[in-house]
Amino acid sequence: MDDEGAEFLERQGASDRDFLALDCISATFGITAAWLGHDPSVLGDHWGYHRRTDDVDSEWPVEQIGIQRRKPEEILSEWYGLTADHIHHADSRRAEEYIRDQLSDGNPVIAWVDTFHVPHSSFHGQQHHSHRIVIHPGDGDGGEKAGALRIVDRYQGSLFDGFMESGTLFTAMSSDALGEARRGDPDWRNRTVVVKAGRLASGKARKEACEERRQERFRSVVAENAHSFAGADLVTACADELRATPDAFASLSPVGTIEVSAWFGELASQRALNARFLRAAAETCALPLLHDRAADAEALSRRWEMTRNYFFLRFRKGSVAVGRIADLITETVTLEAEWNARLRESIAEQNGASRDPVTGLQPPPTAGTALCRKPR
């Protein structure tokens, strides 16, 4: 990479040490994006809900509702031109050879592990659980230290930056439990992802083009999400179904418990990422009101995490707990709709639009309406 290009990437202030996430998928891709010099806040560039189209058995209605989470690979490709190499290795020996080669080339490697075998995990020796970590290149030593490899885990539930014995790592990667993951998931044993930089233009022209594309991308993404907040009615319908027949949902299998908990957890994580994204948009587009909307998104993240915790602690109380969970879902979705309405108003207010006399809301931007002012 040329010096000017490196300066531009450094100026974005991206740092894997600054990036945390409430889910391990976002955490690993955020770390690798930052390692390549890119701002990982773009992983929060979408919000909303949709009905799942894959045929997966479910026990609670929320399991049939997805959240609008695009694959991190797609996001990083669109924003930064990054590519992701997914490989399912035949066995742990070949996985190890591949990982060491990548580390020698300076590439971080995302790997699936079973937390039962991961010393820094709270599940160590107690529970089998699929998790993702980043195996980090070292400072000229391929990431190795006396037979160990450097592991970076920026998932907030298991923060860790240190070394793991290679034998322990590859045992965790090849655990049979990874072949029995969440419903509809593939066999996660001996799987890796390596994210790499695409072909970049050089010099001042590339710098200016990247900055312009970044501003335009923020403008379009904020507008699209703010004016097409999707699927809130789907989630409300799920809550209504739980509330109408709570006895029917008063028990869950171990797999069902994991699925429902994961649903709440993914929402909490995505709203936290949305907050980070809105702060980046506020700075990039000189829209200070978006900082307030970012604070709203963080509050929503905390509410979804609170609901998840309530589910864990009180679900065994039966139908009464199911009814309360349904109420919490409805309350939070209502707050999300209000958040999105305030987001629309904030955008329009910054751009001097007038309120609609009927709805009381700011009208959506028409074609050609600028959502952001370039920084002066």
Side-chain angles (χ1 to χ4, degrees):
M1 182 181 297
D2 59 275
D3 292 339
E4 286 187 298
E7 177 188 4
F8 171 67
L9 294 176
E10 183 179 354
R11 186 163 51 83
Q12 294 186 53
S15 168
D16 60 350
R17 292 184 180 274
D18 294 336
F19 185 79
L20 306 175
L22 289 171
D23 73 279
C24 63
I25 299 174
S26 299
T28 52
F29 279 96
I31 290 170
T32 51
W35 175 263
L36 292 170
H38 298 290
D39 182 359
S41 67
V42 300
L43 293 174
D45 80 343
H46 52 286
W47 49 89
Y49 307 89
H50 65 282
R51 187 173 294 282
R52 292 180 64 162
T53 57
D54 52 336
D55 186 17
V56 178
D57 292 335
S58 63
E59 298 174 54
W60 266 34
V62 294
E63 293 182 70
Q64 290 300 320
I65 303 298
I67 62 174
Q68 198 65 26
R69 289 171 62 98
R70 294 193 298 139
K71 291 182 178 180
E73 302 94 311
E74 296 174 0
I75 298 171
L76 296 178
S77 174
E78 289 180 9
W79 280 81
Y80 304 128
L82 304 182
T83 61
D85 295 335
H86 286 256
I87 298 181
H88 187 189
H89 304 277
D91 51 48
S92 59
R93 179 185 61 81
R94 296 184 187 183
E96 180 174 3
E97 291 174 353
Y98 175 82
I99 289 169
R100 292 190 185 280
D101 286 344
Q102 292 297 320
L103 295 176
S104 295
D105 290 340
N107 298 320
V109 180
I110 298 172
W112 280 256
V113 292
D114 177 3
T115 54
F116 185 89
H117 303 285
V118 175
H120 72 262
S121 171
S122 60
F123 294 138
H124 181 234
Q126 299 183 45
Q127 184 175 337
H128 295 280
H129 186 69
S130 175
H131 184 56
R132 301 192 198 195
I133 58 171
V134 175
I135 309 169
H136 222 292
D139 297 326
D141 58 4
E144 300 177 55
K145 181 179 181 181
L149 295 172
R150 183 184 170 196
I151 305 300
V152 179
D153 192 344
R154 305 301 289 166
Y155 166 60
Q156 285 185 262
S158 57
L159 295 177
F160 180 78
D161 187 343
F163 287 86
M164 184 186 299
E165 291 297 325
S166 59
T168 301
L169 171 62
F170 294 110
T171 296
M173 285 185 61
S174 59
S175 170
D176 288 341
L178 293 178
E180 304 167 357
R182 291 172 56 181
R183 291 179 180 140
D185 279 1
D187 183 345
W188 294 124
R189 286 174 291 187
N190 299 311
R191 284 183 181 261
T192 60
V193 181
V194 173
V195 179
K196 297 180 180 179
R199 296 181 62 183
L200 299 173
S202 61
K204 182 178 179 180
R206 185 182 72 80
K207 252 198 316 188
E208 292 175 349
C210 286
E211 185 70 16
E212 184 66 27
R213 284 198 303 271
R214 180 176 168 82
Q215 292 178 14
E216 180 56 36
R217 173 72 67 176
F218 272 117
R219 287 195 290 269
S220 62
V221 168
V222 172
E224 180 181 354
N225 281 284
H227 295 282
S228 61
F229 180 56
D233 56 331
L234 295 175
V235 186
T236 301
C238 286
D240 291 343
E241 187 176 347
L242 291 171
R243 193 180 296 110
T245 56
D247 290 337
F249 301 106
S251 64
L252 280 168
S253 69
V255 173
T257 302
I258 292 173
E259 292 294 324
V260 174
S261 175
W263 190 82
F264 290 125
E266 288 174 6
L267 274 169
S269 180
Q270 195 63 19
R271 294 299 170 262
L273 290 170
N274 295 152
R276 187 177 181 121
F277 177 84
L278 288 171
R279 287 196 176 90
E283 295 297 327
T284 301
C285 303
L287 283 173
L289 287 178
L290 291 188
H291 284 293
D292 294 334
R293 304 293 74 83
D296 292 341
E298 282 191 335
L300 291 167
S301 174
R302 290 192 294 270
R303 281 192 63 93
W304 285 120
E305 187 67 19
M306 176 192 71
T307 304
R308 182 189 192 189
N309 292 338
Y310 183 91
F311 169 78
F312 259 127
L313 296 173
R314 300 297 181 89
F315 176 67
R316 292 181 180 83
K317 292 187 177 293
S319 59
V320 174
V322 173
R324 178 55 183 150
I325 292 167
D327 291 342
L328 290 171
I329 292 172
T330 300
E331 292 166 9
T332 306
V333 171
T334 300
L335 290 172
E336 289 201 328
E338 294 173 358
W339 161 60
N340 219 61
R342 286 194 296 271
L343 180 57
R344 292 196 301 270
E345 291 181 359
S346 296
I347 294 169
E349 183 177 340
Q350 293 275 180
N351 289 278
S354 61
R355 289 179 179 272
D356 186 297
V358 177
T359 65
L361 297 176
Q362 305 287 359
T366 56
T369 299
L371 286 174
C372 309
R373 301 185 185 93
K374 293 182 180 179
R376 296 176 181 174

